[in-house]
Amino acid sequence: MALYPEDYFFENVNADHRIEVIYEANRILISKVDETGAYVSGAILKITDEAGTVLDEWTAGEDDHLLFGLEEGDYILTEISAPEGYLTAEDMEFSVDRNGKVTVNGVVVEKVTMVDTRMHGLPNTGGNGAGPHLVIMGILLSMLSTTMMITRKA
């Protein structure tokens, strides 16, 4: 289960001094960006462990998602739904070692970054297609064949 900073706060207060200790166990940054590196808001993401247990779920915003307390192991970052105009990204596997270092595809990374790809429609060729021309040609051929049949009978 993911643990957050408030789970690691200790405070001891007496008349002479105050001590605050914040322990950030395995602090992991996760970002959701597009092909240009700009943050993508609105994507719904989740982290699961090897057993498929959901450890965290959130909606991506205009900054990194901060996650604390993942133990040593392998994890999967999944995009549950992509924002409008984007394709859903493939799952990303990452590992956390006993020292809290994160690796993606065997490479140690500062943060786990999932990239969304924009949907692209058909290319604009500048024309309106052959549809209207074919309709006009069909009408002209019908008129021509009707004219030929009338002149033959006469």
Side-chain angles (χ1 to χ4, degrees), residues 52-69:
T53 304
V54 177
L55 304 175
D56 196 12
E57 185 174 317
W58 71 98
T59 301
E62 293 294 321
D63 55 5
D64 296 330
H65 180 71
L66 187 56
L67 184 64
F68 291 88

Side-chain angles (χ1 to χ4, degrees), residues 1-144:
M1 181 167 149
L3 303 173
Y4 296 89
E6 56 269 20
D7 296 322
Y8 293 101
F9 181 74
F10 170 78
E11 183 178 317
N12 182 3
V13 179
N14 68 29
D16 298 322
H17 60 279
R18 176 182 167 151
I19 299 171
E20 291 183 17
V21 177
I22 298 177
Y23 173 64
E24 295 181 354
N26 297 349
R27 180 178 174 267
I28 299 168
L29 292 173
I30 300 172
S31 65
K32 184 66 174 166
V33 299
D34 65 14
E35 304 101 324
T36 68
Y39 285 102
V40 175
S41 294
I44 300 173
L45 306 169
K46 71 177 178 179
I47 301 277
T48 54
D49 63 14
E50 292 177 294
T53 304
V54 177
L55 304 175
D56 196 12
E57 185 174 317
W58 71 98
T59 301
E62 293 294 321
D63 55 5
D64 296 330
H65 180 71
L66 187 56
L67 184 64
F68 291 88
L70 287 183
E71 298 175 1
E72 178 179 6
D74 296 322
Y75 299 92
I76 300 171
L77 172 60
T78 302
E79 182 171 32
I80 298 169
S81 74
E84 187 174 336
Y86 290 91
L87 300 172
T88 302
E90 292 186 26
D91 290 356
M92 278 187 72
E93 296 180 8
F94 67 96
S95 300
V96 178
D97 72 9
R98 64 188 170 125
N99 298 316
K101 288 188 180 174
V102 179
T103 58
V104 176
N105 296 325
V107 177
V108 176
V109 295
E110 292 294 317
K111 65 180 170 179
V112 177
T113 303
M114 180 178 268
V115 179
D116 260 357
T117 304
R118 284 194 175 273
M119 285 186 201
H120 299 287
L122 295 174
N124 184 359
T125 59
N128 58 2
H133 296 88
L134 291 176
V135 171
I136 292 171
M137 289 295 291
I139 293 170
L140 290 174
L141 285 173
S142 293
M143 290 173 57
L144 179 61

